[in-house]
Amino acid sequence: MNVHEEMELLSAYLDEQLESAQRARIEIHVQSCPDCRAELNKLKSLKTFLQKLPNRSMPAALVTSLEARAAEQLNRKSWVDWLMLPRIWVPASAFALSVLALTMWPRPNAVEENSIPVESILAAHHRYVEENAVPSSDLSSDGFSTKLASFEGSAE
């Protein structure tokens, strides 16, 4: 048996706060160990001495005063004081930062509502050019802008 463990359990043994298995183990150990037996006798003497001391009661005025101060402290606490406690702000801050991080985190497949799908437009343009649906000379010539303007004028 570890002597250090037994020293810590001797007080609990003396106060009869141990289970029967632990109690029996300590009783066997104390019979064979003079150091633990001496420590147990010291603890018994101390307990006897403390029990013989007179019990003193608090003055009634002090009890009344302490109760009034405690009630005043409880009444003074409002919900604003409660909100200022770190036990509220730490989890609330962690939650707010998590929500902020999730909303600000870039989403790879997120498409904005008014965005133009550039890839599909370029693919269609390339296909139209390959099929000669759009004359390539018009796209690079200075006349393309005038041609475009005439289309816009006819659409109105």
Side-chain angles (χ1 to χ4, degrees):
M1 288 191 154
N2 188 346
V3 175
H4 183 67
E5 283 182 18
E6 294 305 321
M7 293 295 184
E8 291 177 359
L9 292 175
L10 286 177
S11 179
Y13 169 78
L14 189 60
D15 293 335
E16 298 178 5
Q17 295 181 346
L18 296 179
E19 295 176 6
S20 59
Q22 276 185 321
R23 187 168 180 76
R25 188 176 56 130
I26 289 179
E27 286 172 352
I28 292 170
H29 179 74
V30 167
Q31 289 174 359
S32 64
C33 179
D35 292 336
C36 291
R37 191 171 36 248
E39 185 67 26
L40 185 61
N41 289 334
K42 285 181 192 176
L43 287 172
K44 282 181 183 177
S45 300
L46 179 63
K47 186 175 181 180
T48 304
F49 173 75
L50 290 175
Q51 287 174 342
K52 289 181 181 179
L53 289 176
N55 287 335
R56 305 218 180 203
S57 59
M58 274 196 283
L62 179 60
V63 171
T64 307
S65 171
L66 290 174
E67 287 174 347
R69 287 172 77 186
E72 179 183 325
Q73 289 291 330
L74 287 175
N75 292 337
R76 203 174 352 169
K77 291 270 185 196
S78 67
W79 65 273
V80 175
D81 295 332
W82 180 76
L83 281 177
M84 293 302 157
L85 295 174
R87 68 174 182 233
I88 302 301
W89 281 104
V90 170
S93 301
F95 177 74
L97 284 174
S98 300
V99 169
L100 182 65
L102 288 175
T103 57
M104 300 298 288
W105 196 267
R107 290 172 278 167
N109 296 332
V111 178
E112 290 185 24
E113 200 173 299
N114 297 328
S115 67
I116 299 173
V118 176
E119 292 84 7
S120 59
I121 291 174
L122 288 175
H125 173 71
H126 182 69
R127 191 182 83 214
Y128 294 151
V129 169
E130 291 295 319
E131 294 175 354
N132 290 323
V134 177
S136 59
S137 61
D138 287 347
L139 291 177
S140 59
S141 69
D142 292 334
F144 181 74
S145 295
T146 55
K147 200 173 196 181
L148 182 63
S150 67
F151 286 125
E152 287 178 357
S154 65
E156 292 176 357

